[in-house]
Amino acid sequence: MEGLIRILIQRMVGKGMEITNIPAYIRDLANTLAVSGYSSLHELNGRLQSLGWEDFELDDYTLQLIIATFEPDLAYKPPHWFDQAFNPNRLD
């Protein structure tokens, strides 16, 4: 799991996301998916932009990485789970 999170973080930082904003973004994405479901990447980006994430464009590969972090044992994990798993000090 740590390898997957590392890849996800590197990808999001590479696309311009500040590392400290990643947990909040993933929380908002998880809440958006839980409330509205996933219909299209374009609509999902629109919903996230309405929450203030207009500087980051979610792509399908990044979305799949994020979803994979929630599915290691196929059990529900609340959106704040990523905050506990995310530790920027362990990225070295």
Side-chain angles (χ1 to χ4, degrees):
M1 176 61 83
E2 284 185 36
L4 181 62
I5 291 173
R6 185 178 310 252
I7 291 168
L8 173 60
I9 291 168
Q10 289 172 347
R11 177 148 180 101
M12 293 180 78
V13 168
K15 290 177 58 70
M17 174 77 64
E18 291 289 329
I19 194 167
T20 56
N21 291 336
I22 293 173
Y25 181 84
I26 291 178
R27 251 192 330 273
D28 283 350
L29 173 62
N31 287 329
T32 299
L33 289 172
V35 169
S36 63
Y38 175 75
S39 52
S40 76
L41 193 57
H42 178 73
E43 289 176 6
L44 187 55
N45 272 308
R47 290 184 183 114
L48 290 166
Q49 288 173 358
S50 72
L51 294 173
W53 297 106
E54 55 274 329
D55 293 338
F56 187 79
E57 182 78 19
L58 182 66
D59 61 75
D60 190 54
Y61 181 69
T62 306
L63 175 61
Q64 296 306 316
L65 286 172
I66 292 169
I67 290 171
T69 65
F70 295 125
E71 297 180 344
D73 59 4
L74 299 177
Y76 171 78
K77 294 193 185 323
H80 68 274
W81 171 85
F82 192 81
D83 290 339
Q84 297 166 355
F86 175 81
N87 182 348
N89 296 327
R90 295 174 30 199
L91 296 178
D92 299 332

